[in-house]
Coordinates of all heavy atoms in Angstrom, one line a residue:
F107 N -32.6 -13.5 7.0 CA -34.0 -13.6 6.6 C -34.7 -14.6 7.6 O -35.9 -14.7 7.6 CB -34.1 -14.1 5.2 CG -33.6 -13.1 4.2 CD1 -32.6 -13.5 3.4 CD2 -34.0 -11.9 4.2 CE1 -32.0 -12.6 2.4 CE2 -33.5 -11.0 3.2 CZ -32.5 -11.3 2.3
F108 N -33.9 -15.3 8.4 CA -34.5 -16.3 9.3 C -33.5 -16.5 10.4 O -32.3 -16.1 10.3 CB -34.7 -17.6 8.6 CG -33.6 -18.2 7.8 CD1 -32.6 -18.9 8.4 CD2 -33.4 -17.9 6.4 CE1 -31.5 -19.4 7.7 CE2 -32.4 -18.4 5.7 CZ -31.4 -19.1 6.4
S109 N -33.9 -17.1 11.5 CA -33.1 -17.4 12.7 C -32.0 -18.3 12.2 O -32.2 -19.4 11.6 CB -33.9 -18.0 13.8 OG -33.1 -18.3 14.9
I110 N -30.7 -17.9 12.5 CA -29.6 -18.8 12.2 C -28.7 -19.1 13.4 O -28.6 -18.2 14.3 CB -28.7 -18.1 11.1 CG1 -28.2 -16.7 11.6 CG2 -29.5 -18.0 9.8 CD1 -27.3 -16.1 10.6
P111 N -28.2 -20.2 13.5 CA -27.3 -20.6 14.6 C -25.9 -20.0 14.3 O -25.2 -20.4 13.4 CB -27.3 -22.1 14.7 CG -27.6 -22.5 13.3 CD -28.4 -21.4 12.6
L112 N -25.4 -19.1 15.2 CA -24.2 -18.5 15.0 C -23.2 -18.6 16.2 O -23.8 -18.6 17.3 CB -24.3 -17.0 14.7 CG -24.9 -16.5 13.4 CD1 -25.1 -15.0 13.4 CD2 -23.9 -16.9 12.3
I113 N -22.0 -18.8 15.9 CA -21.0 -18.7 17.0 C -20.4 -17.3 17.1 O -20.2 -16.7 18.1 CB -19.9 -19.8 16.8 CG1 -20.5 -21.2 16.9 CG2 -18.8 -19.6 17.8 CD1 -19.6 -22.3 16.6
S114 N -20.1 -16.7 15.9 CA -19.5 -15.4 15.9 C -19.8 -14.8 14.5 O -20.1 -15.4 13.6 CB -18.0 -15.5 16.1 OG -17.3 -16.1 15.1
F115 N -19.6 -13.5 14.5 CA -19.8 -12.7 13.3 C -18.6 -11.6 13.3 O -18.7 -10.7 14.1 CB -21.1 -12.0 13.2 CG -21.3 -11.1 12.1 CD1 -20.8 -11.3 10.8 CD2 -22.0 -9.9 12.3 CE1 -21.0 -10.4 9.8 CE2 -22.2 -9.0 11.3 CZ -21.7 -9.2 10.0
E116 N -17.6 -11.8 12.5 CA -16.4 -11.0 12.6 C -15.8 -10.6 11.3 O -16.0 -11.4 10.3 CB -15.3 -11.8 13.4 CG -15.7 -12.3 14.8 CD -14.7 -13.3 15.3 OE1 -13.6 -12.9 15.7 OE2 -15.1 -14.5 15.4
D117 N -15.2 -9.5 11.2 CA -14.3 -9.1 10.1 C -12.9 -9.6 10.4 O -12.3 -9.2 11.4 CB -14.4 -7.6 9.9 CG -15.6 -7.2 9.1 OD1 -16.4 -8.0 8.8 OD2 -15.7 -6.0 8.8
V118 N -12.3 -10.3 9.5 CA -11.0 -10.9 9.7 C -10.1 -10.4 8.5 O -10.4 -10.5 7.4 CB -11.0 -12.4 9.7 CG1 -9.6 -12.9 9.9 CG2 -12.0 -12.9 10.7
Y119 N -9.0 -9.8 8.9 CA -8.1 -9.2 7.9 C -6.8 -10.0 7.9 O -6.2 -10.4 9.0 CB -7.7 -7.7 8.3 CG -8.8 -6.8 8.1 CD1 -9.8 -6.7 9.2 CD2 -9.0 -6.0 7.0 CE1 -10.9 -5.8 9.0 CE2 -10.1 -5.1 6.8 CZ -11.0 -5.0 7.8 OH -12.0 -4.2 7.7
T120 N -6.3 -10.3 6.8 CA -5.0 -11.0 6.6 C -4.0 -10.0 6.4 O -4.1 -9.1 5.5 CB -5.1 -12.0 5.4 OG1 -6.1 -13.0 5.7 CG2 -3.7 -12.7 5.3
Y121 N -2.9 -10.0 7.2 CA -1.8 -9.1 7.0 C -0.8 -9.7 5.9 O -0.2 -10.7 6.2 CB -1.1 -8.9 8.3 CG -0.1 -7.8 8.4 CD1 -0.5 -6.5 8.5 CD2 1.3 -8.1 8.3 CE1 0.4 -5.5 8.6 CE2 2.2 -7.1 8.4 CZ 1.8 -5.8 8.5 OH 2.7 -4.7 8.6

Side-chain angles (χ1 to χ4, degrees):
F107 298 120
F108 50 85
S109 176
I110 56 174
L112 286 176
I113 295 174
S114 67
F115 173 41
E116 301 168 74
D117 277 3
V118 181
Y119 293 82
T120 301
Y121 191 78

